[in-house]
Amino acid sequence: MNIALIESKKAAKKNEIPVGSIVVSKITKKIISKAHNQTEKLSDPTAHAEILAIRKAAKKINDWRLTNHVIFTTLEPCKMCMEMIKEARIQTIYYGAVNTSKQKKIKEPECIKFEIKESGLNIKEFFKKIR
């Protein structure tokens, strides 16, 4: 967690929300990747520390499935980061502080189904081929 804290201080120096994250192998106990928030620098709303650390780890091990890894982050993950952590198959999260901003109400976007048969068929065919 101390290394994640160092990452969070790097973010603060860059006028980013001070969050740092590291991904650690459960097998070797070594740090695979580390990152800090860079949403302002990159003009990217997905450039949260957790997501950047996951991207780096996946690239380093050449696999998006991080089942044998844990993530340490200085702030409880937001919804977006939590979904990314789940998608990466990480099963354990250690965090340093409760995320009180999770309480703010962000309006959900309107979702409109625009049915195109070919879209569904493309997906079915893809998975049929690989299974």
Side-chain angles (χ1 to χ4, degrees):
M1 190 60 86
N2 285 333
I3 294 167
L5 211 56
I6 290 167
E7 286 296 312
S8 74
K9 290 175 184 177
K10 289 179 187 178
K13 285 181 184 176
K14 299 173 184 176
N15 290 322
E16 299 278 357
I17 296 173
V19 179
S21 298
I22 61 170
V23 175
V24 177
S25 167
K26 289 197 285 189
I27 297 166
T28 66
K29 309 292 188 223
K30 291 187 178 181
I31 296 170
I32 304 301
S33 66
K34 54 188 178 178
H36 56 274
N37 274 3
Q38 295 188 58
T39 53
E40 299 299 329
K41 178 186 177 189
L42 300 175
S43 296
D44 180 353
T46 69
H48 289 198
E50 299 92 334
I51 291 174
L52 296 175
I54 288 168
R55 287 178 182 159
K56 287 179 183 179
K59 187 174 185 176
K60 187 169 186 176
I61 68 165
N62 200 30
D63 192 350
W64 60 270
R65 295 171 199 86
L66 301 174
T67 47
N68 291 317
H69 297 79
V70 297
I71 191 164
F72 290 81
T73 188
T74 57
L75 183 66
E76 179 183 13
C78 67
K79 288 180 184 182
M80 175 181 65
C81 291
M82 187 62 79
E83 290 304 315
M84 174 68 104
I85 291 165
K86 289 192 291 188
E87 284 295 320
R89 310 298 196 262
I90 295 173
Q91 296 177 4
T92 306
I93 304 165
Y94 298 93
Y95 64 89
V98 173
N99 188 345
T100 56
S101 74
K102 286 173 53 175
Q103 311 305 320
K104 67 181 177 185
K105 301 286 182 202
I106 298 173
K107 186 179 179 219
E108 293 288 329
E110 181 181 9
C111 293
I112 301 168
K113 182 179 178 183
F114 191 73
E115 181 102 21
I116 301 173
K117 279 189 177 182
E118 190 175 349
S119 291
L121 291 173
N122 287 343
I123 297 292
K124 285 180 184 177
E125 286 299 314
F126 173 80
F127 283 107
K128 195 181 220 182
K129 286 179 190 175
I130 66 169
R131 290 188 176 136

